[in-house]
Amino acid sequence: MKNTIKYIDLFCGMGGLRVGFEEALKSLGMVGSCEFSSDIKESAIQAYNYNFNDNMNYTDITKVEANDILDFDFLLAGFPCQAFSSAGNRLGFEDTIGTLFFDVARIIKEKKPEGFILENVEGLVNHDKGKTFKVIENTLLALGYKVTSRIINGKDFGLAQSRNRIYIIGHKTKIIN
C-alpha cells in the first residue's frame, strides 16, 4: 500500500469533504496530496485558500479538460445539490446545476482513478421517485466501479446540527462500506 494518496477536490466549497478524507487517511498512516481543486464561488475559494493555503487554480469544472488534470488516485466531489434539495427547485437533470454530476462522470471516465467519494443532500435518493439516483448509480457502475452509498447524519460526527447527506463511494476492485 502506498503512503501518499493523490486526489482532486471538485465543487470543493470550503473543503469539508477534503478534511474528512485527509483525517481518514491519517488514521490509516497515510497522507493526502491534493492535486487539483475546483469551485466557482468566490467566498468558498477564499475560505478554501485560507483553510489549506494551497493557492490552487480554481475554475469552472465544465471548462476543464480531464487530460489537463494531473493523474490522481481518488476524486472527491460534493456536486451541487440545489436541483435535488427540498430547499431548491427540485428540477434535477432539467436544471443546468443538476447536470454537473455528468462532469464528475466525464472526469472519472477519462482519468480512471482508483476510487471516488461523492456527497450530496439526502433528497437526491428520492428525487423523481428514485430515478435520478438510479441514473447516477448506473452511470458510475457503467464506468466500471463497484458502488455503495449511505445516508449519514453529520450530527453523529460532531456537527452541532442534524444534517443528513448521501455519500456515494466507488472503487475499481472492491465494495467499500
Side-chain angles (χ1 to χ4, degrees):
M1 181 186 310
K2 65 185 193 178
N3 193 39
T4 300
I5 300 295
K6 294 179 181 180
Y7 65 92
I8 64 172
D9 194 6
L10 307 181
F11 312 102
C12 60
M14 295 175 18
L17 199 51
R18 175 180 176 169
V19 168
F21 187 71
E22 288 193 347
E23 286 297 316
L25 290 175
K26 191 185 304 181
S27 75
L28 296 170
M30 305 170 84
V31 295
S33 174
C34 187
E35 303 298 312
F36 178 83
S37 296
S38 176
D39 206 301
I40 61 170
K41 190 172 182 181
E42 188 59 38
S43 58
I45 293 168
Q46 288 174 359
Y48 194 89
N49 279 329
Y50 177 82
N51 290 336
F52 303 107
N53 198 24
D54 285 330
N55 295 316
M56 289 287 181
N57 181 16
Y58 306 97
T59 189
D60 181 345
I61 200 63
T62 65
K63 295 179 169 103
V64 174
E65 294 295 327
N67 61 0
D68 290 338
I69 300 173
L70 294 174
D71 288 341
F72 57 91
D73 305 303
F74 271 82
L75 177 144
L76 310 178
F79 59 101
C81 63
Q82 296 89 329
F84 315 112
S85 172
S86 59
N89 56 23
R90 298 194 49 87
L91 292 176
F93 296 140
E94 294 176 26
D95 186 331
T96 304
I97 288 176
T99 65
L100 290 171
F101 160 76
F102 296 105
D103 284 291
V104 172
R106 170 181 61 85
I107 292 168
I108 290 171
K109 180 179 181 179
E110 213 165 305
K111 298 303 281 188
K112 297 175 178 53
E114 194 65 29
F116 55 82
I117 301 173
L118 310 180
E119 177 268 339
N120 210 286
V121 293
E122 72 175 321
L124 176 66
V125 176
N126 297 319
H127 182 268
D128 194 17
K129 299 179 182 165
K131 292 176 190 171
T132 301
F133 186 74
K134 203 67 176 158
V135 167
I136 289 170
E137 186 177 48
N138 287 338
T139 299
L140 297 168
L141 289 168
L143 293 174
Y145 289 84
K146 298 186 183 317
V147 177
T148 188
S149 61
R150 182 175 298 153
I151 294 175
I152 297 174
N153 190 337
K155 177 180 73 170
D156 297 332
F157 295 89
L159 279 183
Q161 64 187 17
S162 182
R163 189 172 168 100
N164 288 330
R165 291 289 185 259
I166 179 76
Y167 287 87
I168 306 165
I169 300 172
H171 195 272
K172 281 183 176 178
T173 60
K174 57 188 166 198
I175 292 180
I176 300 173
N177 287 319

